[in-house]
Amino acid sequence: MKPRGTVGGRRVSPAQTEEPSRGGSGSGLMEQAIAPGNMWAALRRVEQNGSAPGIDGMTVQDLRPYLKEHWPRIREALLDGTHRPQPVRRVEIPKPGGGVRLLGIPTVLDRLIQQALLQVLTPIFDPTFSPASFGFRPGRRGHDAVRVARRYVQEGYGWVVDLDLEKFFDRVNHNILMARVACKV
């Protein structure tokens, strides 16, 4: 039996990690993202999460049949860099203290692609994050942050800082952000 590798932190067969022979400057990350094992894991995750449809109205239940018909075209567009995500559907959620929180709901196809990329990029970027960071990280939750804060208080520290950067991704300079991502990958 051939040894097994990993894609996005998940074990997959060597056939699932082979890169197609393509020219260009692809680092292999997109090929890893769309590898069958990674895509199946991403699809299961999107289906488990459910959620509302995006602007195209496609539900999670519609996704598999859609992929059966359209995957070759989507795959090629991802590999040649011509795929463009759809705009997000904006939804306002009332906040308990008044006001609203704006949510952007991507299409289920875009959520699938985002999940596949997340599974490949997380092992690259997560190890570089601060151990004091708990938001949206694998194996870390708000309860873990509270546990660490309690430990700090028991150790004699008098302050705990809880920081949430409001609308960070709306305001961050995306050129600088993407340049830093490019340096890493």
Side-chain angles (χ1 to χ4, degrees), residues 32-164:
Q32 290 176 40
I34 65 167
N38 193 55
M39 289 305 300
W40 280 111
L43 179 60
R44 285 190 299 273
R45 185 64 182 255
V46 168
E47 289 173 338
Q48 287 169 355
N49 290 344
S51 191
I55 62 161
D56 61 357
M58 185 186 302
T59 66
V60 172
Q61 293 77 19
D62 299 329
L63 185 56
R64 278 185 191 240
Y66 180 83
L67 290 172
K68 283 181 184 178
E69 183 176 345
H70 298 281
W71 178 243
R73 175 186 53 78
I74 296 164
R75 181 183 186 279
E76 192 59 35
L78 288 166
L79 288 172
D80 68 21
T82 59
H83 173 78
R84 295 293 175 259
Q86 296 297 307
V88 297
R89 182 167 66 96
R90 290 288 179 190
V91 176
E92 293 182 350
I93 306 294
K95 289 183 180 181
V100 295
R101 177 182 305 274
L102 290 176
L103 292 182
I105 302 176
T107 65
V108 292
L109 176 61
D110 288 338
R111 287 199 302 264
L112 173 69
I113 295 166
Q114 290 169 4
Q115 181 64 38
L117 290 167
L118 176 74
Q119 291 167 182
V120 170
L121 293 174
T122 295
I124 295 169
F125 285 97
D126 194 68
T128 67
F129 295 161
S130 166
S133 170
F134 291 89
F136 301 100
R137 296 191 53 202
R140 291 171 170 254
R141 333 176 280 157
H143 288 28
D144 298 322
V146 170
R147 190 174 13 267
V148 170
R150 283 186 178 145
R151 189 182 77 229
Y152 288 159
V153 168
Q154 291 170 349
E155 291 174 3
Y157 290 93
W159 293 86
V160 174
V161 177
D162 177 19
L163 184 64
D164 184 8

Side-chain angles (χ1 to χ4, degrees), residues 168-180:
F168 173 78
F169 286 104
D170 294 339
R171 297 177 180 158
V172 69
N173 182 319
H174 285 85
N175 291 330
I176 294 172
L177 178 63
M178 294 312 296
R180 291 190 177 197

